Amino acid sequence: MLGVWLYFSLCSITFAQDSFQIEGSVVNANTLQPLEGANIIGKGLFSISSATGTFTIKNVVKGTYSLTISHIGYSSETATITVGPKMDTLKVYLRDTVTELEDVEVNGKTHKRKAQELATVSHTVSKDFLDKNRENSLMQTLKNIPGVSTINIGSGQSKPVIRGLGFNRVVVVQNSIKHEAQQWGNDHGLEIDQYGVETVKIIKGPASLQYGSDAIAGVVDIQALKLPGQNSLKGEVNLLGETNNDLLGVSAGIQGRKNKWFYRGRLTYRDYGDYKVPTDRINYENYIFELHDNNLRNTAGKEADASLGIGFISGNLKSETNFSNVNAKNGFFANAHGLEVRSSNIDYDSSNRDIDLPYHKVNHFKITNNTSVGIGNHTLQLDLGYQNNHREELSEPVPHGYMPTPPDSKERIFDKNTYTLNIKDSFSPNQRHDVAAGVNLEYQDNNIGGWGFLIPAYNRFTIGAFAYDQFEVHPNLHVLGGLRYDYGVLDSKSHYDWYPSTVNNSDGSTSYVYLQRAKNKTLDFGNISASLGISYIHKNTTYKVNLGKSFRMPLANELASDGVNYHMYRYERGNLDLDPESSYQLDLDIDHTTASFSFGASPFVNLFENFIYLNPTSNYYETLQIYEYTQSKVFRAGGEIRASTTVLKNLQLDASAEYVYSRQTSGPKKDFTLPFSPPLSGLFSASYQSKDFLFLGRPQVRADYRITAAQNEIVPPEEVTEGYQVLNMSFTAQMNLFKSAKPFDLRVKLNNVLNTHFYDHTSFYRLIDVPEPGRNLSISLTVPF
Amino acid sequence: MGFSTKIFFITILILVVASCTTDDNAAKDEQKPTIDINYNEGFPQACSQLVRGETYSFKAMVSDNAELASYSLDIHHNFDHHTHDDQDGECSMDPKKTAINPWIFIENYTIEDGLTTYEINIGLTIPNDIDTGDYHCSFSVIDETGWQSRTSVDIKIIE
């Protein structure tokens, strides 16, 4: 016994003879405030930072050590330090992360763990991902996630597509309120300031249970911003420049909190010119459009956004009110409006920054309030929302069919008000159950104007009630089951042409009639949604199985439209007998993650009982092809696979692939696919993080190589699209220019490095043979303060 | 790991099988019909001048791999130069002007069942009281599946 004691004390003495002391401090990289309680861990070394952020590790033998500095709510940092005489003190800057832990930590489970236990297949996108991958619109940024694609028109506008379905089949939620605009429209983008987004949850499957009608194919849930820390004040300015469309963008955000009150605000302005395509002429059918300086004529645009949020947090009450306004103006390619070839006297080529006709203007104003109160083991969540979406589509007035030249350029005007109320109660009757129940109410009032008619004015009221329970069978086995019922009333308003049409009567006479395009009609719909799923966690692997039924109420245009869409050369006829779409989906998800390697697969099988489809018929109406809203059975299957590994210490490789197979199994287009079906596509990425270099911290180089197969599965009026390969490169780093200031974030991105000429099957401009944008160099600088 | 690898490969297999089964492309009509006025009897040819009060036969050849269904003829004025045709060469245009009583001809026709080639032949007398000037004449055809093709030609109507 004495021998053992002696041995240890001797050892300590020996070590003490040539040992040193590591001293350092840990600070928050954004606020530069000291961080207390950070763990500093190295091989055989351990320390915790004090209230002043400092730490000391004594008795360290001479040598080189790698220390990991971590703190709850911050991303970990690794520092390499050479221990010896004349050592500097170590200073560590930690960045807070959004995804690490929730503010309210009930059972000490991380976000990640909670997501693993949840049976629904979802994907959470962090601020870090958004910052590194930022493209011209939020949806283009999210495109790098397997299973997510976009339908684009031009460089600044895109709408979400999840596993091949989009438009009104994907719900976008911001601050728990469904974003309501003119989602059905081909040339509609998403009116959300992407700089004001921190975390996005993507659900790739039917999610009506929680999100109601329209969440039939998936959800893009933009989550509430993280609460600022107590007594903090911080902000950032982001500057962005791009070469392809000569974009200049600036966004400035600020947030602060005293004790109980907090606030945040953001201003964003972007202005861009026509985008460049890697060709100097476009061949569309027999037409040839010569492009000036590779510019896609009249695709310039601008955007100005502002938002302000004020919140209060105290004890178990939290309430935040947000005001936001997004205003955008975008030009459309001038040589063709829709599919129609147009000539004009406008001198489009005099400047690549002017926005001439045809263009659209949109303003989206939104007020939301999110309040949650904890009462005993209940949490009551109340969400209130008001949105006004005002959209104007302007084009040169031109006569069409029996319509004479219209008096002005206001082709279509939409003005939509949406009022939302969600009430939800979550409670845990015991340790093993997490129960939630609630109601969602929504009222929409959609008005139309202008000389072109596409959809009728309507009012719509929907109410839905749901309940679900997550049951912990075993700490690693969770079952989630829920039921929902929705009821909706749609009241469409009558509409008459403003000009008379020539009608040949059966008795041989001719009359001139102001045709009725929509009728006054009240329709009501009811539907049940349900979901049942299991999550099983076994060591590093998570298995999920989920079966869901979702629905979507038919839209006013699907039910009641009766109008000529001259620019698409079609006449669209609604059908008042449409049933709500209902869809059944079986999802599997396997995820295996270890420190150095991870892979996952998420296959699915999906059946639509009555998919609403705009079917091109073989008949004409006033020389325009009749397209009819019909319902058909649809079978879909596919999924995503992903793998990533850290080959060397600083080299990470990622690979993913996505595929969807769609078939209409009944109806007039039996055996055909669905419109805008994304082709098989794979993305390979390699990123290398090198050591700090001069004033550059954590410099990282990344290459993304996308390989997309040809899309031979088409439906009229689409065309087969060839496959393509495109390379994007990026470089990110923190710039420590001034010792006292927080580091700047630098991002240099080179998209379409080889200026490849390719078509995207799901781009609206594909229909008129316009290729995707050419090479683009973008430089972004974020300056925190 | 072994178990999950197995599941992984099974799911890949399902994906591959799903992507390859029931591909009955052969039975599916994926071809647009064709439409053409560039043959001797095709009418009107680009930049033709048509005289008011005269009667003309508007002719185009259409064909399809499977079955033709219907066609249409649309003649409308282009006094504001809002569009141009898809034929070779540019026609000389009159100065822009405001329409007073423009000619509008809008008519649809069906093609009898079972045909894969057909010649459109529409006899039309140009009314005497309509505005003279630049007009745009467009033919279109749809097949049984719903594929459409169009062609258009710029013409002038003169006194």
mmCIF file with all atom_site columns, all heavy atoms in Angstrom, chain A residues 242-259:
data_model
loop_
_atom_site.group_PDB
_atom_site.id
_atom_site.type_symbol
_atom_site.label_atom_id
_atom_site.label_alt_id
_atom_site.label_comp_id
_atom_site.label_asym_id
_atom_site.label_entity_id
_atom_site.label_seq_id
_atom_site.pdbx_PDB_ins_code
_atom_site.Cartn_x
_atom_site.Cartn_y
_atom_site.Cartn_z
_atom_site.occupancy
_atom_site.B_iso_or_equiv
_atom_site.pdbx_formal_charge
_atom_site.auth_seq_id
_atom_site.auth_comp_id
_atom_site.auth_asym_id
_atom_site.auth_atom_id
_atom_site.pdbx_PDB_model_num
ATOM 1   N N   . GLU A 1 242 ? -22.637 39.753 -57.017 1.00 0.00 ? 242 GLU A N   1
ATOM 2   C CA  . GLU A 1 242 ? -22.599 38.618 -57.940 1.00 0.00 ? 242 GLU A CA  1
ATOM 3   C C   . GLU A 1 242 ? -22.287 39.113 -59.341 1.00 0.00 ? 242 GLU A C   1
ATOM 4   O O   . GLU A 1 242 ? -22.723 40.199 -59.729 1.00 0.00 ? 242 GLU A O   1
ATOM 5   C CB  . GLU A 1 242 ? -23.940 37.880 -57.960 1.00 0.00 ? 242 GLU A CB  1
ATOM 6   C CG  . GLU A 1 242 ? -24.245 37.203 -56.652 1.00 0.00 ? 242 GLU A CG  1
ATOM 7   C CD  . GLU A 1 242 ? -25.471 36.308 -56.723 1.00 0.00 ? 242 GLU A CD  1
ATOM 8   O OE1 . GLU A 1 242 ? -26.016 36.139 -57.828 1.00 0.00 ? 242 GLU A OE1 1
ATOM 9   O OE2 . GLU A 1 242 ? -25.872 35.795 -55.675 1.00 0.00 ? 242 GLU A OE2 1
ATOM 10  N N   . THR A 1 243 ? -21.565 38.285 -60.097 1.00 0.00 ? 243 THR A N   1
ATOM 11  C CA  . THR A 1 243 ? -21.167 38.730 -61.427 1.00 0.00 ? 243 THR A CA  1
ATOM 12  C C   . THR A 1 243 ? -22.169 38.365 -62.513 1.00 0.00 ? 243 THR A C   1
ATOM 13  O O   . THR A 1 243 ? -22.308 39.088 -63.491 1.00 0.00 ? 243 THR A O   1
ATOM 14  C CB  . THR A 1 243 ? -19.803 38.126 -61.814 1.00 0.00 ? 243 THR A CB  1
ATOM 15  O OG1 . THR A 1 243 ? -19.920 36.703 -61.741 1.00 0.00 ? 243 THR A OG1 1
ATOM 16  C CG2 . THR A 1 243 ? -18.698 38.609 -60.908 1.00 0.00 ? 243 THR A CG2 1
ATOM 17  N N   . ASN A 1 244 ? -22.862 37.246 -62.358 1.00 0.00 ? 244 ASN A N   1
ATOM 18  C CA  . ASN A 1 244 ? -23.721 36.804 -63.463 1.00 0.00 ? 244 ASN A CA  1
ATOM 19  C C   . ASN A 1 244 ? -24.858 37.771 -63.760 1.00 0.00 ? 244 ASN A C   1
ATOM 20  O O   . ASN A 1 244 ? -25.151 38.089 -64.899 1.00 0.00 ? 244 ASN A O   1
ATOM 21  C CB  . ASN A 1 244 ? -24.271 35.408 -63.182 1.00 0.00 ? 244 ASN A CB  1
ATOM 22  C CG  . ASN A 1 244 ? -25.164 34.926 -64.301 1.00 0.00 ? 244 ASN A CG  1
ATOM 23  O OD1 . ASN A 1 244 ? -26.310 35.329 -64.400 1.00 0.00 ? 244 ASN A OD1 1
ATOM 24  N ND2 . ASN A 1 244 ? -24.626 34.104 -65.177 1.00 0.00 ? 244 ASN A ND2 1
ATOM 25  N N   . ASN A 1 245 ? -25.527 38.239 -62.701 1.00 0.00 ? 245 ASN A N   1
ATOM 26  C CA  . ASN A 1 245 ? -26.616 39.190 -62.936 1.00 0.00 ? 245 ASN A CA  1
ATOM 27  C C   . ASN A 1 245 ? -26.303 40.553 -62.309 1.00 0.00 ? 245 ASN A C   1
ATOM 28  O O   . ASN A 1 245 ? -27.213 41.335 -62.048 1.00 0.00 ? 245 ASN A O   1
ATOM 29  C CB  . ASN A 1 245 ? -27.945 38.638 -62.426 1.00 0.00 ? 245 ASN A CB  1
ATOM 30  C CG  . ASN A 1 245 ? -27.899 38.268 -60.958 1.00 0.00 ? 245 ASN A CG  1
ATOM 31  O OD1 . ASN A 1 245 ? -26.854 38.371 -60.326 1.00 0.00 ? 245 ASN A OD1 1
ATOM 32  N ND2 . ASN A 1 245 ? -29.018 37.861 -60.410 1.00 0.00 ? 245 ASN A ND2 1
ATOM 33  N N   . ASP A 1 246 ? -25.021 40.814 -62.084 1.00 0.00 ? 246 ASP A N   1
ATOM 34  C CA  . ASP A 1 246 ? -24.579 42.096 -61.512 1.00 0.00 ? 246 ASP A CA  1
ATOM 35  C C   . ASP A 1 246 ? -25.375 42.455 -60.263 1.00 0.00 ? 246 ASP A C   1
ATOM 36  O O   . ASP A 1 246 ? -25.861 43.577 -60.116 1.00 0.00 ? 246 ASP A O   1
ATOM 37  C CB  . ASP A 1 246 ? -24.727 43.227 -62.542 1.00 0.00 ? 246 ASP A CB  1
ATOM 38  C CG  . ASP A 1 246 ? -23.761 43.039 -63.699 1.00 0.00 ? 246 ASP A CG  1
ATOM 39  O OD1 . ASP A 1 246 ? -22.828 42.235 -63.540 1.00 0.00 ? 246 ASP A OD1 1
ATOM 40  O OD2 . ASP A 1 246 ? -23.960 43.681 -64.738 1.00 0.00 ? 246 ASP A OD2 1
ATOM 41  N N   . LEU A 1 247 ? -25.536 41.474 -59.388 1.00 0.00 ? 247 LEU A N   1
ATOM 42  C CA  . LEU A 1 247 ? -26.343 41.702 -58.193 1.00 0.00 ? 247 LEU A CA  1
ATOM 43  C C   . LEU A 1 247 ? -25.559 42.436 -57.118 1.00 0.00 ? 247 LEU A C   1
ATOM 44  O O   . LEU A 1 247 ? -24.371 42.176 -56.904 1.00 0.00 ? 247 LEU A O   1
ATOM 45  C CB  . LEU A 1 247 ? -26.837 40.362 -57.637 1.00 0.00 ? 247 LEU A CB  1
ATOM 46  C CG  . LEU A 1 247 ? -27.666 40.395 -56.354 1.00 0.00 ? 247 LEU A CG  1
ATOM 47  C CD1 . LEU A 1 247 ? -28.785 39.361 -56.426 1.00 0.00 ? 247 LEU A CD1 1
ATOM 48  C CD2 . LEU A 1 247 ? -26.840 40.148 -55.108 1.00 0.00 ? 247 LEU A CD2 1
ATOM 49  N N   . LEU A 1 248 ? -26.249 43.354 -56.465 1.00 0.00 ? 248 LEU A N   1
ATOM 50  C CA  . LEU A 1 248 ? -25.709 43.995 -55.278 1.00 0.00 ? 248 LEU A CA  1
ATOM 51  C C   . LEU A 1 248 ? -26.754 43.837 -54.194 1.00 0.00 ? 248 LEU A C   1
ATOM 52  O O   . LEU A 1 248 ? -27.927 44.165 -54.403 1.00 0.00 ? 248 LEU A O   1
ATOM 53  C CB  . LEU A 1 248 ? -25.461 45.480 -55.532 1.00 0.00 ? 248 LEU A CB  1
ATOM 54  C CG  . LEU A 1 248 ? -24.267 45.800 -56.433 1.00 0.00 ? 248 LEU A CG  1
ATOM 55  C CD1 . LEU A 1 248 ? -24.274 47.251 -56.831 1.00 0.00 ? 248 LEU A CD1 1
ATOM 56  C CD2 . LEU A 1 248 ? -22.961 45.426 -55.734 1.00 0.00 ? 248 LEU A CD2 1
ATOM 57  N N   . GLY A 1 249 ? -26.337 43.317 -53.064 1.00 0.00 ? 249 GLY A N   1
ATOM 58  C CA  . GLY A 1 249 ? -27.317 43.095 -52.003 1.00 0.00 ? 249 GLY A CA  1
ATOM 59  C C   . GLY A 1 249 ? -26.734 43.503 -50.671 1.00 0.00 ? 249 GLY A C   1
ATOM 60  O O   . GLY A 1 249 ? -25.533 43.360 -50.418 1.00 0.00 ? 249 GLY A O   1
ATOM 61  N N   . VAL A 1 250 ? -27.580 44.031 -49.818 1.00 0.00 ? 250 VAL A N   1
ATOM 62  C CA  . VAL A 1 250 ? -27.149 44.359 -48.470 1.00 0.00 ? 250 VAL A CA  1
ATOM 63  C C   . VAL A 1 250 ? -28.270 43.979 -47.519 1.00 0.00 ? 250 VAL A C   1
ATOM 64  O O   . VAL A 1 250 ? -29.453 44.165 -47.825 1.00 0.00 ? 250 VAL A O   1
ATOM 65  C CB  . VAL A 1 250 ? -26.736 45.851 -48.339 1.00 0.00 ? 250 VAL A CB  1
ATOM 66  C CG1 . VAL A 1 250 ? -27.849 46.783 -48.756 1.00 0.00 ? 250 VAL A CG1 1
ATOM 67  C CG2 . VAL A 1 250 ? -26.269 46.179 -46.937 1.00 0.00 ? 250 VAL A CG2 1
ATOM 68  N N   . SER A 1 251 ? -27.894 43.386 -46.407 1.00 0.00 ? 251 SER A N   1
ATOM 69  C CA  . SER A 1 251 ? -28.894 43.039 -45.407 1.00 0.00 ? 251 SER A CA  1
ATOM 70  C C   . SER A 1 251 ? -28.287 43.328 -44.044 1.00 0.00 ? 251 SER A C   1
ATOM 71  O O   . SER A 1 251 ? -27.150 42.948 -43.763 1.00 0.00 ? 251 SER A O   1
ATOM 72  C CB  . SER A 1 251 ? -29.276 41.560 -45.516 1.00 0.00 ? 251 SER A CB  1
ATOM 73  O OG  . SER A 1 251 ? -30.262 41.260 -44.565 1.00 0.00 ? 251 SER A OG  1
ATOM 74  N N   . ALA A 1 252 ? -29.024 44.030 -43.215 1.00 0.00 ? 252 ALA A N   1
ATOM 75  C CA  . ALA A 1 252 ? -28.532 44.370 -41.882 1.00 0.00 ? 252 ALA A CA  1
ATOM 76  C C   . ALA A 1 252 ? -29.552 43.947 -40.850 1.00 0.00 ? 252 ALA A C   1
ATOM 77  O O   . ALA A 1 252 ? -30.749 44.203 -41.000 1.00 0.00 ? 252 ALA A O   1
ATOM 78  C CB  . ALA A 1 252 ? -28.278 45.868 -41.789 1.00 0.00 ? 252 ALA A CB  1
ATOM 79  N N   . GLY A 1 253 ? -29.065 43.262 -39.831 1.00 0.00 ? 253 GLY A N   1
ATOM 80  C CA  . GLY A 1 253 ? -29.971 42.787 -38.789 1.00 0.00 ? 253 GLY A CA  1
ATOM 81  C C   . GLY A 1 253 ? -29.426 43.168 -37.433 1.00 0.00 ? 253 GLY A C   1
ATOM 82  O O   . GLY A 1 253 ? -28.213 43.295 -37.234 1.00 0.00 ? 253 GLY A O   1
ATOM 83  N N   . ILE A 1 254 ? -30.326 43.369 -36.492 1.00 0.00 ? 254 ILE A N   1
ATOM 84  C CA  . ILE A 1 254 ? -29.923 43.707 -35.140 1.00 0.00 ? 254 ILE A CA  1
ATOM 85  C C   . ILE A 1 254 ? -30.863 42.995 -34.192 1.00 0.00 ? 254 ILE A C   1
ATOM 86  O O   . ILE A 1 254 ? -32.045 42.790 -34.502 1.00 0.00 ? 254 ILE A O   1
ATOM 87  C CB  . ILE A 1 254 ? -29.945 45.248 -34.941 1.00 0.00 ? 254 ILE A CB  1
ATOM 88  C CG1 . ILE A 1 254 ? -29.319 45.630 -33.613 1.00 0.00 ? 254 ILE A CG1 1
ATOM 89  C CG2 . ILE A 1 254 ? -31.352 45.818 -35.048 1.00 0.00 ? 254 ILE A CG2 1
ATOM 90  C CD1 . ILE A 1 254 ? -28.964 47.104 -33.539 1.00 0.00 ? 254 ILE A CD1 1
ATOM 91  N N   . GLN A 1 255 ? -30.350 42.559 -33.053 1.00 0.00 ? 255 GLN A N   1
ATOM 92  C CA  . GLN A 1 255 ? -31.249 42.005 -32.052 1.00 0.00 ? 255 GLN A CA  1
ATOM 93  C C   . GLN A 1 255 ? -30.693 42.286 -30.666 1.00 0.00 ? 255 GLN A C   1
ATOM 94  O O   . GLN A 1 255 ? -29.483 42.387 -30.469 1.00 0.00 ? 255 GLN A O   1
ATOM 95  C CB  . GLN A 1 255 ? -31.490 40.518 -32.265 1.00 0.00 ? 255 GLN A CB  1
ATOM 96  C CG  . GLN A 1 255 ? -30.234 39.665 -32.253 1.00 0.00 ? 255 GLN A CG  1
ATOM 97  C CD  . GLN A 1 255 ? -30.587 38.192 -32.328 1.00 0.00 ? 255 GLN A CD  1
ATOM 98  O OE1 . GLN A 1 255 ? -31.567 37.745 -31.755 1.00 0.00 ? 255 GLN A OE1 1
ATOM 99  N NE2 . GLN A 1 255 ? -29.785 37.434 -33.037 1.00 0.00 ? 255 GLN A NE2 1
ATOM 100 N N   . GLY A 1 256 ? -31.590 42.435 -29.740 1.00 0.00 ? 256 GLY A N   1
ATOM 101 C CA  . GLY A 1 256 ? -31.148 42.735 -28.393 1.00 0.00 ? 256 GLY A CA  1
ATOM 102 C C   . GLY A 1 256 ? -32.155 42.289 -27.367 1.00 0.00 ? 256 GLY A C   1
ATOM 103 O O   . GLY A 1 256 ? -33.312 41.976 -27.675 1.00 0.00 ? 256 GLY A O   1
ATOM 104 N N   . ARG A 1 257 ? -31.699 42.214 -26.136 1.00 0.00 ? 257 ARG A N   1
ATOM 105 C CA  . ARG A 1 257 ? -32.583 41.816 -25.058 1.00 0.00 ? 257 ARG A CA  1
ATOM 106 C C   . ARG A 1 257 ? -32.101 42.449 -23.773 1.00 0.00 ? 257 ARG A C   1
ATOM 107 O O   . ARG A 1 257 ? -30.897 42.473 -23.499 1.00 0.00 ? 257 ARG A O   1
ATOM 108 C CB  . ARG A 1 257 ? -32.569 40.301 -24.927 1.00 0.00 ? 257 ARG A CB  1
ATOM 109 C CG  . ARG A 1 257 ? -33.417 39.783 -23.773 1.00 0.00 ? 257 ARG A CG  1
ATOM 110 C CD  . ARG A 1 257 ? -33.501 38.279 -23.850 1.00 0.00 ? 257 ARG A CD  1
ATOM 111 N NE  . ARG A 1 257 ? -33.929 37.734 -22.578 1.00 0.00 ? 257 ARG A NE  1
ATOM 112 C CZ  . ARG A 1 257 ? -33.876 36.439 -22.280 1.00 0.00 ? 257 ARG A CZ  1
ATOM 113 N NH1 . ARG A 1 257 ? -33.410 35.574 -23.160 1.00 0.00 ? 257 ARG A NH1 1
ATOM 114 N NH2 . ARG A 1 257 ? -34.275 36.014 -21.105 1.00 0.00 ? 257 ARG A NH2 1
ATOM 115 N N   . LYS A 1 258 ? -33.017 42.994 -23.023 1.00 0.00 ? 258 LYS A N   1
ATOM 116 C CA  . LYS A 1 258 ? -32.704 43.474 -21.674 1.00 0.00 ? 258 LYS A CA  1
ATOM 117 C C   . LYS A 1 258 ? -32.814 42.265 -20.766 1.00 0.00 ? 258 LYS A C   1
ATOM 118 O O   . LYS A 1 258 ? -32.017 41.362 -20.822 1.00 0.00 ? 258 LYS A O   1
ATOM 119 C CB  . LYS A 1 258 ? -33.690 44.582 -21.270 1.00 0.00 ? 258 LYS A CB  1
ATOM 120 C CG  . LYS A 1 258 ? -33.307 45.924 -21.860 1.00 0.00 ? 258 LYS A CG  1
ATOM 121 C CD  . LYS A 1 258 ? -32.005 46.388 -21.199 1.00 0.00 ? 258 LYS A CD  1
ATOM 122 C CE  . LYS A 1 258 ? -31.551 47.708 -21.790 1.00 0.00 ? 258 LYS A CE  1
ATOM 123 N NZ  . LYS A 1 258 ? -30.165 47.997 -21.382 1.00 0.00 ? 258 LYS A NZ  1
ATOM 124 N N   . ASN A 1 259 ? -33.828 42.242 -19.985 1.00 0.00 ? 259 ASN A N   1
ATOM 125 C CA  . ASN A 1 259 ? -34.036 41.064 -19.178 1.00 0.00 ? 259 ASN A CA  1
ATOM 126 C C   . ASN A 1 259 ? -35.223 40.287 -19.720 1.00 0.00 ? 259 ASN A C   1
ATOM 127 O O   . ASN A 1 259 ? -35.091 39.174 -20.220 1.00 0.00 ? 259 ASN A O   1
ATOM 128 C CB  . ASN A 1 259 ? -34.251 41.484 -17.722 1.00 0.00 ? 259 ASN A CB  1
ATOM 129 C CG  . ASN A 1 259 ? -34.370 40.298 -16.807 1.00 0.00 ? 259 ASN A CG  1
ATOM 130 O OD1 . ASN A 1 259 ? -33.990 39.196 -17.196 1.00 0.00 ? 259 ASN A OD1 1
ATOM 131 N ND2 . ASN A 1 259 ? -34.919 40.506 -15.635 1.00 0.00 ? 259 ASN A ND2 1
#
